[in-house]
Amino acid sequence: MPDPHAADRTSTATATRPRKWPRPSRWTPNRWTRPRLPAGARPYLAPLGLYGAAKLTGLIVFACLLEYAGDFHKKAPRFGGGAHWWDVLATWDGWWYLQVAQHGYQPRLERLASGGLFTVKQNSVAFFPLFPALIRLVSEVTGLGLYGSAILVSVLSSFVAAAGIYAVVKLLAGARAGTIAAGLWAVVPGAGVEWAVYSESVFVALAAWTCYAVMKRRWETAGLLAFLAGLNRPTSAALIGAVGLAALLALARRDTRREHGVSGPLYAILVAPLGLLSYVAWVGLSTGKLTAYFVLQREGWAHYFDFGAYTFDVLRNQAVGRHDYLFAFATADLLSLQLVLALPVLIALMLRKRPPLVLVAYTLASVITVLGTQQMFGNTMRYLLPAFPLLLAPAAAMTRLNRWTLAVFFTTAAITSGWYAHYVIFELGIP
């Protein structure tokens, strides 16, 4: 028989039972939660960490070598010298960039009275405006001096470049290969200018992410980045041509047109070359001679495209142990010679990976431009820094190495890069 008072006893027990309050949070006003990186940024920690550690190690070794030799104290601040070892990082081309950042341009062609190799006085308009503009902008915003701002721009840009190299290689060979490629870019010959007052880091950052945007069919982004690259270096012509070629191929394919449309590739084709063309045109109009930029390069710096005649002259002299050629620097030239001899193998291995057209066109055009131009041969290793797709095959092959072997390799390479990638360029040659 049901109990008529059961409901009353239940309600009474419920009323007298202590109420369970929610468990208090462990957070207190004096304890802050650990900040978390966005999920999209986490994959970049390993490649950027490897890149930064390798670069810092090389820079420390470079500083030790400079202090040990002490030769930079005897050189003019503009030509590889200074009061402190870090002043060396702002010499040669770095001096010109700082002059532009401080004073702007004074475009003119001045003929030299004496005949010889140089018939036109060197002028700052030979150095493209994006890098010095960034230096001036950072200096105005942060209050840092021009030198500190220039180093900050180069260092930050180098990390953006390493991230771009990682992103490109990851798409083709996986995350491990991308991480290794970012580390390799820190220790390749010529890498010493990545943390100096030089425009290479800014350019490679733009070039890597431009190629990534093309691979992802983000044509508007690719066109804009190529436009900016054209304001940074004349060698951006290789990148601009590669973007245009990839865009033309996209327009030629019916399935690509149907999926991605026509406006994006057309935008990239039209916008990409505007930065380069507008600056060269401005120099011409400002000096009253449309070809002024090329005249200045040829007669003021002795740099011009000669279809490889100078490179061939260097190679045959190096083969017989002679230095009877223009701009001879024994140690720097020997390292660049070894890199040039390795190029056919690196290119063949890259092509074997069947990379996208934009990478192939950009790399081949960059190599042809470097080897086909009369310039300081010892700087070939610096001029080839933007050809980052050459790292694709070595990085992919090194993924088969275990962690300890990779640690030994990068430790050794980082230490020795302080000599071959830093000291050789700045002290045994002219960067």
Side-chain angles (χ1 to χ4, degrees), residues 4-283:
H5 302 288
D8 295 336
R9 287 195 298 267
T10 301
S11 59
T12 301
T14 302
T16 58
R17 186 182 302 160
R19 180 178 297 179
K20 292 184 179 181
W21 296 96
R23 180 175 296 179
S25 173
R26 294 183 179 181
W27 181 87
T28 63
N30 296 327
R31 178 179 296 178
W32 296 91
T33 58
R34 180 182 300 177
R36 293 183 179 181
L37 288 173
R42 293 173 192 170
Y44 292 92
L45 288 178
L48 295 185
L50 177 60
Y51 173 81
K55 283 302 305 174
L56 183 60
T57 302
L59 186 65
I60 292 173
V61 173
F62 175 49
C64 293
L65 291 175
L66 284 175
E67 293 291 352
Y68 171 74
D71 296 334
F72 72 96
H73 291 297
K74 308 171 187 177
K75 299 179 180 180
R78 178 177 169 182
F79 303 112
H84 309 284
W85 69 264
W86 55 82
D87 294 330
V88 176
L89 300 174
T91 56
W92 301 109
D93 285 6
W95 182 87
W96 284 102
Y97 281 121
L98 292 179
Q99 291 296 306
V100 176
Q102 184 174 5
H103 304 293
Y105 291 114
Q106 295 179 345
R108 58 181 176 268
L109 288 178
E110 297 182 39
R111 292 286 174 181
L112 297 176
S114 59
L117 180 63
F118 304 107
T119 59
V120 172
K121 185 178 180 180
Q122 295 178 345
N123 189 280
S124 60
V125 292
F127 296 87
F128 274 50
L130 180 61
F131 182 51
L134 290 174
I135 295 173
R136 184 61 178 264
L137 176 63
V138 172
S139 179
E140 294 290 341
V141 171
T142 64
L144 290 173
L146 292 177
Y147 173 83
S149 299
I151 295 296
L152 181 61
V153 170
S154 289
V155 171
L156 293 180
S157 298
S158 73
F159 280 98
V160 177
I165 293 171
Y166 164 80
V168 170
V169 176
K170 178 186 175 182
L171 286 179
L172 303 174
R176 185 176 174 84
T179 299
I180 294 172
L184 288 176
W185 194 64
V187 298
V188 293
V193 298
E194 293 170 13
W195 284 11
V197 187
Y198 277 70
S199 64
E200 270 76 6
S201 290
V202 174
F203 179 73
V204 176
L206 292 169
W209 286 107
T210 298
C211 292
Y212 180 82
V214 172
M215 294 166 67
K216 287 289 191 177
R217 298 294 188 267
R218 298 169 184 169
W219 295 108
E220 291 81 5
T221 302
L224 178 59
L225 292 177
F227 165 81
L228 293 174
L231 293 172
N232 189 66
R233 291 181 66 84
T235 52
S236 60
L239 178 66
I240 294 167
V243 171
L245 189 60
L248 286 174
L249 181 62
L251 291 174
R253 291 177 173 174
R254 183 180 302 176
D255 55 341
T256 305
R257 292 198 307 269
R258 186 183 302 113
E259 182 178 357
H260 300 284
V262 174
S263 60
L266 281 177
Y267 174 89
I269 292 172
L270 295 175
V271 171
L274 292 182
L276 176 62
L277 294 177
S278 61
Y279 181 70
V280 172
W282 176 80
V283 173

